[in-house]
Amino acid sequence: MLKRRTLLQGALAGAVLGGCSKTPVAPPVSKENPFTVDGNAPVDLVVSEEYGGFAAAAYRKRYAAAVVTPKLTPQLSAQLLPRFAAGNPPDVVLSTGDDELALGRLVKEGQLTDLQQLLDAPSWDNPNAAVKDQLLPDMLDFGRYDGTQRTVNYIASVYGLWYSASLFQRNGWEVPRTWPDLLALGNDMKAARLGPFIYAGTHPYYLLELVLTLAAKTGGPDVVKRIDNLEDGAWKDESVTKAITAVGELAKRGLLAAGTAANDHIGAQKRFLAGKAGMLPCGNWLENEMKGLVPQDFALTMFAVPPLDSSPALASGVHVAATAPLLVPDKARNKAGGLEYLRAMLSADVAAQVTSEASQLTIVRGAADGLEMGTALRSARDLLSAAGDQLIIWYFDDWYPQFADAAATATAQFMAGGLQQSEWTARIQAAADKLKQDSAVTKYHRD
């Protein structure tokens, strides 16, 4: 979902000290150097996005003799799996994109370092605070496998509904505060000859995401936690039923833009940016993905999925997913340097640079505060900040992708009129029950 960069601007390297053949003596453990980094050792860094190399300058400032050479490639699996198999992987990897690493496989093979030592270490910015205390709540769970921290997922992807603030202003429309407000706004848009709502019909996960966010805002975080844990009857929860019924009103009231079901995500986004529809569900990567196609006066802005009524369980809740895993291979030549590089990536300064230059929000708490940015990224940042500890999170789509695809497909069929609400519920619950009983599938649990 995150758009890949194609160039890494500038070579980030340092001077090499030479002439000494003695075995270096490891420095003592300290708050400034918790992993006893050898400041002369190079750091082998392979990244799939340019921002993965942004901590190189900070690393070299602290360890002036270290050579840090980020290698940018979208072909991670093709290039790195042979290195993992041969026992000479890089020291640090940022894994995103179409050829991202199969992390579950690497975990089973014992290829990834336990990063709890990184999280417990003093932060790069404040030696009196642990790294984990500088990060957004619950974001670390995305990188845990059977209770062990194998990756740190760096980017905070915020989901919501997109609109043109300039269009709203011209028409005197207000951002809806409740779902009935949204339906009423849809009627106003329809009267103005505008397709109120559009989504990627061929990628119906966006619809399912909308349903689950609405359900969690109504019933609280335990609604999606029970779904993650494959608890009996989780999809029959009253909040889920209310949410799918409410989303179905978009179709029943004729508030979907014509041809929505046939759109892929790029097609839906192009139509939205061309002013053919008023609202679009998507994550905050939208601006990057459609760079160059956003009209200058569009004022692309995100608002949170509005709750069903004025007394929701999570009034300011937004769905957030941590993506872009950072990892240190267990057989890395310079494991200490790899851990130290991640400590630098999780500093406020580097995270702020990622937000400023790559238009991405990170899991580093408050790193984007006060930065100058456009309406799109600013609105996502503000929603994330306003949510506080009301972050809506689920994992089943990563844990059980085939099941998630089946649930999304059923949601698309429901919106097209092919399923009744009771049939939608029964079909997904039956699939969840079958998954739960399938001993061939590794099961996960969240507390």
Side-chain angles (χ1 to χ4, degrees), residues 286-323:
L286 175 65
E287 182 180 34
N288 276 346
E289 192 166 65
M290 305 304 287
K291 193 176 293 294
L293 296 178
V294 182
Q296 189 171 3
D297 61 349
F298 197 83
L300 182 63
T301 310
M302 174 190 282
F303 68 90
V305 174
L308 287 177
D309 54 42
S310 58
S311 57
L314 300 176
S316 58
V318 293
H319 175 210
V320 183
T323 61

Short mmCIF file of all heavy atoms in Angstrom, two decimals, residues 286-323:
data_model
loop_
_atom_site.label_atom_id
_atom_site.label_comp_id
_atom_site.label_asym_id
_atom_site.label_seq_id
_atom_site.Cartn_x
_atom_site.Cartn_y
_atom_site.Cartn_z
N LEU A 286 -2.80 7.59 0.69
CA LEU A 286 -3.49 8.03 -0.54
C LEU A 286 -2.73 9.14 -1.25
O LEU A 286 -2.54 9.09 -2.46
CB LEU A 286 -4.91 8.49 -0.19
CG LEU A 286 -5.71 9.10 -1.34
CD1 LEU A 286 -5.99 8.06 -2.40
CD2 LEU A 286 -7.03 9.70 -0.82
N GLU A 287 -2.29 10.15 -0.51
CA GLU A 287 -1.61 11.29 -1.13
C GLU A 287 -0.34 10.84 -1.86
O GLU A 287 -0.09 11.27 -3.00
CB GLU A 287 -1.28 12.34 -0.08
CG GLU A 287 -0.63 13.59 -0.67
CD GLU A 287 -0.30 14.62 0.40
OE1 GLU A 287 0.04 14.21 1.54
OE2 GLU A 287 -0.36 15.82 0.09
N ASN A 288 0.46 10.00 -1.22
CA ASN A 288 1.67 9.51 -1.86
C ASN A 288 1.35 8.66 -3.09
O ASN A 288 2.01 8.76 -4.12
CB ASN A 288 2.50 8.68 -0.88
CG ASN A 288 3.38 9.55 0.00
OD1 ASN A 288 3.59 10.73 -0.26
ND2 ASN A 288 3.89 8.97 1.08
N GLU A 289 0.35 7.82 -2.96
CA GLU A 289 0.00 6.92 -4.05
C GLU A 289 -0.50 7.68 -5.27
O GLU A 289 -0.30 7.24 -6.41
CB GLU A 289 -1.06 5.93 -3.57
CG GLU A 289 -1.29 4.77 -4.51
CD GLU A 289 -2.07 3.65 -3.84
OE1 GLU A 289 -3.25 3.88 -3.50
OE2 GLU A 289 -1.51 2.56 -3.67
N MET A 290 -1.15 8.82 -5.05
CA MET A 290 -1.73 9.59 -6.15
C MET A 290 -0.97 10.89 -6.40
O MET A 290 -1.53 11.86 -6.93
CB MET A 290 -3.21 9.88 -5.84
CG MET A 290 -4.04 8.64 -5.56
SD MET A 290 -3.99 7.41 -6.89
CE MET A 290 -5.00 8.23 -8.13
N LYS A 291 0.30 10.91 -6.02
CA LYS A 291 1.11 12.11 -6.18
C LYS A 291 1.09 12.58 -7.63
O LYS A 291 1.24 11.80 -8.57
CB LYS A 291 2.55 11.82 -5.75
CG LYS A 291 3.41 13.08 -5.60
CD LYS A 291 4.78 12.72 -5.08
CE LYS A 291 4.75 12.18 -3.66
NZ LYS A 291 4.33 13.21 -2.69
N GLY A 292 0.86 13.87 -7.81
CA GLY A 292 0.79 14.45 -9.15
C GLY A 292 -0.62 14.48 -9.71
O GLY A 292 -0.86 15.16 -10.73
N LEU A 293 -1.55 13.76 -9.09
CA LEU A 293 -2.93 13.71 -9.58
C LEU A 293 -3.90 14.46 -8.66
O LEU A 293 -5.08 14.57 -8.97
CB LEU A 293 -3.40 12.27 -9.73
CG LEU A 293 -2.64 11.43 -10.77
CD1 LEU A 293 -3.17 10.00 -10.78
CD2 LEU A 293 -2.77 12.05 -12.16
N VAL A 294 -3.41 14.95 -7.52
CA VAL A 294 -4.27 15.70 -6.60
C VAL A 294 -4.34 17.15 -7.08
O VAL A 294 -3.31 17.83 -7.12
CB VAL A 294 -3.73 15.65 -5.16
CG1 VAL A 294 -4.67 16.40 -4.22
CG2 VAL A 294 -3.56 14.21 -4.70
N PRO A 295 -5.52 17.66 -7.47
CA PRO A 295 -5.62 19.04 -7.92
C PRO A 295 -5.10 20.01 -6.86
O PRO A 295 -5.27 19.79 -5.65
CB PRO A 295 -7.12 19.23 -8.16
CG PRO A 295 -7.63 17.85 -8.42
CD PRO A 295 -6.81 16.94 -7.54
N GLN A 296 -4.48 21.09 -7.32
CA GLN A 296 -3.84 22.02 -6.40
C GLN A 296 -4.81 22.63 -5.40
O GLN A 296 -4.46 22.89 -4.26
CB GLN A 296 -3.14 23.13 -7.21
CG GLN A 296 -2.26 24.04 -6.37
CD GLN A 296 -1.44 24.97 -7.24
OE1 GLN A 296 -1.57 24.98 -8.46
NE2 GLN A 296 -0.57 25.75 -6.61
N ASP A 297 -6.04 22.87 -5.84
CA ASP A 297 -7.02 23.52 -4.96
C ASP A 297 -7.98 22.52 -4.31
O ASP A 297 -9.04 22.90 -3.81
CB ASP A 297 -7.82 24.57 -5.74
CG ASP A 297 -8.60 23.96 -6.90
OD1 ASP A 297 -8.35 22.77 -7.23
OD2 ASP A 297 -9.44 24.66 -7.49
N PHE A 298 -7.63 21.24 -4.31
CA PHE A 298 -8.53 20.20 -3.82
C PHE A 298 -8.65 20.20 -2.31
O PHE A 298 -9.70 19.91 -1.74
CB PHE A 298 -8.01 18.83 -4.28
CG PHE A 298 -9.03 17.72 -4.19
CD1 PHE A 298 -9.96 17.52 -5.19
CD2 PHE A 298 -9.04 16.86 -3.10
CE1 PHE A 298 -10.88 16.49 -5.12
CE2 PHE A 298 -9.96 15.82 -3.02
CZ PHE A 298 -10.89 15.64 -4.03
N ALA A 299 -7.54 20.52 -1.62
CA ALA A 299 -7.49 20.48 -0.15
C ALA A 299 -7.88 19.10 0.38
O ALA A 299 -8.81 18.95 1.17
CB ALA A 299 -8.37 21.57 0.46
N LEU A 300 -7.14 18.10 -0.07
CA LEU A 300 -7.39 16.71 0.32
C LEU A 300 -7.29 16.57 1.84
O LEU A 300 -6.28 16.90 2.45
CB LEU A 300 -6.36 15.80 -0.36
CG LEU A 300 -6.47 14.30 -0.12
CD1 LEU A 300 -7.78 13.75 -0.67
CD2 LEU A 300 -5.28 13.58 -0.75
N THR A 301 -8.36 16.04 2.45
CA THR A 301 -8.45 16.00 3.91
C THR A 301 -9.16 14.71 4.34
O THR A 301 -10.05 14.22 3.65
CB THR A 301 -9.23 17.22 4.43
OG1 THR A 301 -8.68 18.42 3.86
CG2 THR A 301 -9.14 17.32 5.95
N MET A 302 -8.76 14.22 5.50
CA MET A 302 -9.35 13.00 6.05
C MET A 302 -10.18 13.32 7.29
O MET A 302 -9.79 14.17 8.10
CB MET A 302 -8.25 12.01 6.44
CG MET A 302 -8.74 10.75 7.15
SD MET A 302 -7.38 9.76 7.85
CE MET A 302 -6.78 8.93 6.38
N PHE A 303 -11.34 12.65 7.44
CA PHE A 303 -12.06 12.72 8.71
C PHE A 303 -12.30 11.30 9.21
O PHE A 303 -12.28 10.33 8.45
CB PHE A 303 -13.37 13.52 8.59
CG PHE A 303 -14.46 12.92 7.75
CD1 PHE A 303 -15.41 12.07 8.31
CD2 PHE A 303 -14.58 13.25 6.40
CE1 PHE A 303 -16.44 11.54 7.54
CE2 PHE A 303 -15.60 12.72 5.62
CZ PHE A 303 -16.54 11.87 6.20
N ALA A 304 -12.49 11.17 10.50
CA ALA A 304 -12.67 9.86 11.12
C ALA A 304 -14.04 9.30 10.77
O ALA A 304 -15.01 10.04 10.60
CB ALA A 304 -12.51 9.96 12.63
N VAL A 305 -14.11 7.98 10.66
CA VAL A 305 -15.41 7.33 10.46
C VAL A 305 -16.33 7.76 11.59
O VAL A 305 -16.02 7.56 12.76
CB VAL A 305 -15.25 5.80 10.46
CG1 VAL A 305 -16.61 5.12 10.40
CG2 VAL A 305 -14.36 5.36 9.30
N PRO A 306 -17.46 8.39 11.26
CA PRO A 306 -18.34 8.86 12.33
C PRO A 306 -19.08 7.73 13.01
O PRO A 306 -19.44 6.74 12.36
CB PRO A 306 -19.31 9.80 11.59
CG PRO A 306 -19.33 9.30 10.19
CD PRO A 306 -17.96 8.75 9.92
N PRO A 307 -19.31 7.83 14.31
CA PRO A 307 -20.00 6.75 15.04
C PRO A 307 -21.48 6.69 14.69
O PRO A 307 -22.04 7.61 14.09
CB PRO A 307 -19.78 7.13 16.50
CG PRO A 307 -19.63 8.62 16.48
CD PRO A 307 -18.93 8.94 15.19
N LEU A 308 -22.11 5.63 15.13
CA LEU A 308 -23.54 5.44 14.84
C LEU A 308 -24.41 6.48 15.52
O LEU A 308 -25.46 6.87 15.00
CB LEU A 308 -23.99 4.04 15.27
CG LEU A 308 -23.51 2.88 14.39
CD1 LEU A 308 -23.96 1.56 14.97
CD2 LEU A 308 -24.03 3.04 12.96
N ASP A 309 -23.99 6.91 16.71
CA ASP A 309 -24.78 7.89 17.45
C ASP A 309 -23.85 8.79 18.25
O ASP A 309 -22.63 8.74 18.07
CB ASP A 309 -25.80 7.20 18.36
CG ASP A 309 -25.15 6.18 19.30
OD1 ASP A 309 -24.08 6.47 19.85
OD2 ASP A 309 -25.73 5.09 19.48
N SER A 310 -24.41 9.59 19.11
CA SER A 310 -23.63 10.59 19.84
C SER A 310 -23.01 10.06 21.13
O SER A 310 -22.39 10.82 21.88
CB SER A 310 -24.51 11.80 20.17
OG SER A 310 -25.64 11.42 20.93
N SER A 311 -23.17 8.77 21.41
CA SER A 311 -22.59 8.21 22.64
C SER A 311 -21.85 6.91 22.35
O SER A 311 -22.20 5.85 22.88
CB SER A 311 -23.69 7.96 23.67
OG SER A 311 -24.69 7.09 23.14
N PRO A 312 -20.82 6.96 21.51
CA PRO A 312 -20.08 5.75 21.17
C PRO A 312 -19.11 5.35 22.28
O PRO A 312 -18.77 6.15 23.16
CB PRO A 312 -19.32 6.15 19.91
CG PRO A 312 -19.07 7.62 20.11
CD PRO A 312 -20.29 8.15 20.81
N ALA A 313 -18.64 4.10 22.21
CA ALA A 313 -17.64 3.64 23.18
C ALA A 313 -16.29 4.31 22.93
O ALA A 313 -15.55 4.60 23.87
CB ALA A 313 -17.50 2.12 23.08
N LEU A 314 -15.98 4.56 21.65
CA LEU A 314 -14.70 5.18 21.28
C LEU A 314 -14.99 6.43 20.46
O LEU A 314 -14.94 6.41 19.22
CB LEU A 314 -13.83 4.20 20.50
CG LEU A 314 -13.45 2.89 21.21
CD1 LEU A 314 -12.67 1.98 20.26
CD2 LEU A 314 -12.64 3.16 22.46
N ALA A 315 -15.27 7.52 21.13
CA ALA A 315 -15.71 8.74 20.44
C ALA A 315 -14.67 9.27 19.47
O ALA A 315 -15.00 9.76 18.39
CB ALA A 315 -16.07 9.81 21.48
N SER A 316 -13.39 9.21 19.84
CA SER A 316 -12.33 9.75 18.98
C SER A 316 -11.50 8.65 18.32
O SER A 316 -10.43 8.90 17.78
CB SER A 316 -11.41 10.66 19.79
OG SER A 316 -10.84 9.97 20.89
N GLY A 317 -12.01 7.42 18.35
CA GLY A 317 -11.24 6.29 17.85
C GLY A 317 -11.00 6.34 16.35
O GLY A 317 -11.86 6.76 15.57
N VAL A 318 -9.81 5.92 15.94
CA VAL A 318 -9.48 5.74 14.53
C VAL A 318 -8.74 4.42 14.37
O VAL A 318 -8.03 3.97 15.27
CB VAL A 318 -8.60 6.88 13.96
CG1 VAL A 318 -9.36 8.20 13.91
CG2 VAL A 318 -7.32 7.03 14.76
N HIS A 319 -8.92 3.80 13.22
CA HIS A 319 -8.22 2.57 12.92
C HIS A 319 -6.80 2.91 12.48
O HIS A 319 -6.58 3.72 11.57
CB HIS A 319 -8.94 1.81 11.80
CG HIS A 319 -8.21 0.58 11.34
ND1 HIS A 319 -8.31 0.10 10.05
CD2 HIS A 319 -7.38 -0.27 11.99
CE1 HIS A 319 -7.57 -0.98 9.93
NE2 HIS A 319 -6.99 -1.23 11.09
N VAL A 320 -5.83 2.30 13.13
CA VAL A 320 -4.42 2.51 12.82
C VAL A 320 -3.74 1.16 12.68
O VAL A 320 -3.98 0.25 13.47
CB VAL A 320 -3.72 3.33 13.92
CG1 VAL A 320 -2.27 3.62 13.52
CG2 VAL A 320 -4.45 4.64 14.17
N ALA A 321 -2.91 1.03 11.67
CA ALA A 321 -2.11 -0.19 11.50
C ALA A 321 -0.65 0.21 11.37
O ALA A 321 -0.31 1.17 10.68
CB ALA A 321 -2.56 -0.95 10.25
N ALA A 322 0.22 -0.52 12.07
CA ALA A 322 1.66 -0.29 11.96
C ALA A 322 2.21 -1.15 10.84
O ALA A 322 2.04 -2.37 10.84
CB ALA A 322 2.35 -0.60 13.28
N THR A 323 2.84 -0.52 9.86
CA THR A 323 3.37 -1.21 8.70
C THR A 323 4.87 -0.94 8.59
O THR A 323 5.46 -0.29 9.44
CB THR A 323 2.65 -0.76 7.42
OG1 THR A 323 2.86 0.66 7.24
CG2 THR A 323 1.14 -1.01 7.52
#
